[in-house]
Amino acid sequence: MTEPVRSPRSDRSPWYWLLLIPVVLPLVTPLFNRDSPRLWGFPAFYWLQFLFIFVGVATTSVVYQMTKRPTRASAPETREAVDE
Amino acid sequence: MSDHITEIVVFSLLFLLVSGMGFVAARWRAPKDMAHLDEWGLGGRSFGGWITWFLVGGDLYTAYTFVAVPALIFGAGAAGFFAVPYTVVIYPLFFLILIRLWSVSHRHGFVTPADFVRSRFDSPLLALLVAITGIVATMPYIALQLVGIEAVLKTMGVTGESALARHLPIIIAFAILAAYTYQSGLRAPALIAFVKDTLIYIVIIVAVLYLPYKLGGWGSIFDDANAKFQASKAPGDGITLNANNQIQYITLALGSALALFLYPHSITGVLASKNRNVIKRNMSALPAYSFLLGLIALLGYMAISAGVKPLPGAKAGSVDSNTVVPLLFDQQFPSWFAGVAFAAIGIGALVPAAIMSIAAANLFTRNIYKEYLKKDATPAQEANVSKITSLVVKVGAVACIIFLDPQFSIDLQLIGGIIILQTGPAVALGLFTRWLHRWALIAGWAAGMGMGMWMLYNIPNATTGRKHFGGSAFPLSDLGFDSPKTIYVGFVAVAVNLLVAVVVTLILRAAKTPDGIDHTSPDDYFADEGDPRLEKARTTPDADAVTSST
């Protein structure tokens, strides 16, 4: 365990809190458990839950962009480390 | 049978095509040395974004899901739509939790979740419990994939008088599947998933554009469904939820999501990807399948609107509601297109069945064979044992379907989802904290299992008239609450599990019981591709290629 540790000791970021939205939103049934308003014939119960899929995609994409660090294959200093 | 000839021909041709691909897959992205569990069982841990998307998508959204979810919507309405929130909630959880499992497994060469538990909590017994739970939960899941194929075969009129004649097509299909999984390992389902998912997307996009046009628009489809549920006497149905099944809907969606990422086959799919960014990017891309699943679910309403009558079930007087989607395609589309749809479902059963059998085989090899039978097994011996175990697992699944009532597999699957949840405190919480004591986790597991079994045993099914194992909706009144509401069994069982684990931990800590050595270090949970401290022996040629070409 004396060798230098190259991985960060933590990947904490406030952006991760954003992921609470797609976990909680689809589970609050009073928000969407109704027939009207309809959209293209879909009751609100259905089109709102389809919409939540896009909320999930948007939030995970934002969190990914905001928390990503360069991969080791593309970061020059770590590339040398691998070659050692 | 004659009027289904076109369907059968199209189905058989597509089936043969993917079988050929399954065998060729052994040479796809081939390593120098296939005789290593990392290669056979995890595809060399080398899959990039696209392969992972198809593989995990093909893995999580199984043929049974595609057949059973619309069947549920057909029968009960809105309550069956839980599949959508379930598959929305799961990806943020993957993003936060499984990414850590990937890192720690990458660095230590873990192949199964039980490998991780063993190192983290220094407890072979806890690892054994996690492994056995995983195998027991996975077996009926594989058997259910066969139920998916059978629903299609039944619709095409491929049935027989004797049990053997009826099951012959399935036996042949699974024999082929077993042969190419044995040869190609995880590479076979990864390659076949491309075909399977392309077919499914085409079929569903065509269906959701064409069928509403033919049936008078989405509005009238929902109105027809509403009229059916208004007329029925069953209390829980309708196109929206009622006051009594909302808690069930919420806890079932959340509980199923938690269960899904603890299933060994989901973990196998994730561990096969090559780095953290591949997984994270996929969490934004995989919901495309959730959208697809939502549309597939609505096929259940289209079947109501089209007046589909499900085929009779195994017992006289019962109906096999799993046949509603195949029948919808059979009745509404030209037979060649119905054949493509049936092939999509049939092939859709092969991908998850292959991954599940690999995952179960890996658990046996790593956590039973290597742990208890042959401690000094070489990587080549491990790969060999896993290959043979995957055959045994598939024979077991086929035997379940042939010799037992299919209802038994469905019951076991219901139990499977609940018991796999009981590994959550050790596997998922274990990724974040070691505070829970290893003996407390064992006690919690036992309590959760007991609670889950007791609750399931006491749930009757009103429609089939069975007294036990009738579903996963437990009446709160049976727990002493004065309420007609129901709750998902798995959710209560895992809550009991956690409570016991916490209480026993407090007692054991007070008694200063030794809690073993943590063989992982905090930075293991963030390790990424190219990490200099990998313990696993890389056998893939591209591992050298990455370092030398850059």
Side-chain angles (χ1 to χ4, degrees), chain B residues 177-392:
Chain B
L177 172 71
Y180 64 67
T181 310
Y182 180 87
Q183 188 186 342
S184 311
L186 197 62
R187 285 179 171 79
L191 197 56
I192 293 173
F194 283 96
V195 181
K196 172 225 161 187
D197 292 336
T198 309
L199 285 179
I200 295 246
Y201 276 101
I202 292 172
V203 165
I204 298 307
I205 289 167
V206 169
V208 298
L209 292 176
Y210 175 72
L211 286 176
Y213 162 77
K214 202 171 162 182
L215 298 170
W218 284 103
S220 77
I221 290 172
F222 283 107
D223 290 339
D224 288 347
N226 197 23
K228 176 196 158 175
F229 294 131
Q230 295 288 344
S232 93
K233 283 194 285 285
D237 61 7
I239 61 166
T240 53
L241 300 170
N242 58 42
N244 295 334
N245 59 10
Q246 292 195 33
I247 293 181
Q248 166 72 8
Y249 189 85
I250 296 165
T251 50
L252 181 59
L254 183 60
S256 304
L258 294 173
L260 184 59
F261 83 82
L262 292 167
Y263 267 112
H265 63 275
S266 335
I267 291 175
T268 299
V270 169
L271 292 188
S273 52
K274 71 175 176 189
N275 62 38
R276 285 168 68 97
N277 281 348
V278 163
I279 302 174
K280 287 189 170 183
R281 278 203 308 271
N282 257 290
M283 295 311 119
S284 310
L286 280 166
Y289 283 93
S290 307
F291 195 82
L292 184 74
L293 180 60
L295 295 175
I296 290 172
L298 295 180
L299 290 176
Y301 286 155
M302 294 185 205
I304 294 176
S305 187
V308 169
K309 297 268 177 291
L311 292 175
K315 282 195 217 88
S318 67
V319 291
D320 183 355
S321 61
N322 285 335
T323 54
V324 293
V325 167
L327 282 171
L328 180 69
F329 280 95
D330 185 52
Q331 291 167 9
Q332 300 290 327
F333 285 101
S335 47
W336 67 269
F337 188 79
V340 173
F342 295 169
I345 296 174
I347 299 165
L350 301 181
V351 173
I355 304 171
M356 287 168 192
S357 67
I358 289 170
N362 289 349
L363 279 169
F364 173 80
T365 305
R366 297 279 299 195
N367 309 108
I368 296 175
Y369 171 74
K370 192 175 160 74
E371 183 75 49
Y372 295 99
L373 302 176
K374 192 165 169 36
K375 283 195 187 294
D376 57 345
T378 63
Q381 283 169 329
E382 278 183 37
N384 216 13
V385 169
S386 236
K387 288 166 85 166
I388 292 165
T389 312
S390 82
L391 293 182
V392 175

Side-chain angles (χ1 to χ4, degrees), chain B residues 463-480:
Chain B
T463 25
T464 58
R466 283 151 35 98
K467 287 200 183 66
H468 306 295
F469 297 107
S472 64
F474 191 80
L476 282 176
S477 56
D478 285 13
L479 289 174

Side-chain angles (χ1 to χ4, degrees), chain B residues 143-166:
Chain B
L144 276 195
Q145 302 309 315
L146 295 167
V147 173
I149 303 186
E150 280 207 321
V152 168
L153 292 173
K154 211 171 182 177
T155 308
M156 291 195 293
V158 184
T159 51
E161 288 304 311
S162 72
L164 187 68
R166 197 163 59 239

Side-chain angles (χ1 to χ4, degrees), chain A residues 3 5-9 11 16 27 29 33 38 40-41 43 46 49 60-61 69 71-72 79 82-83, chain B residues 85 107 218 222-223 239-241 246 249-250 276-277 280 284 301 523 526 529-533 547 550:
Chain A
E3 63 190 287
V5 173
R6 295 183 194 281
S7 298
R9 294 196 68 87
D11 62 353
Y16 286 123
L27 299 177
T29 49
N33 189 30
R38 287 201 177 196
W40 298 310
Y46 299 90
Q49 291 192 77
T60 44
S61 302
R69 45 175 207 260
T71 58
R72 283 165 188 283
R79 195 180 302 152
V82 173
D83 284 338
Chain B
R107 188 175 265 177
W218 284 103
F222 283 107
D223 290 339
I239 61 166
T240 53
L241 300 170
Q246 292 195 33
Y249 189 85
I250 296 165
R276 285 168 68 97
N277 281 348
K280 287 189 170 183
S284 310
Y301 286 155
D523 64 310
F526 312 108
E529 185 187 21
D531 188 276
R533 275 182 36 205
T547 48
T550 47

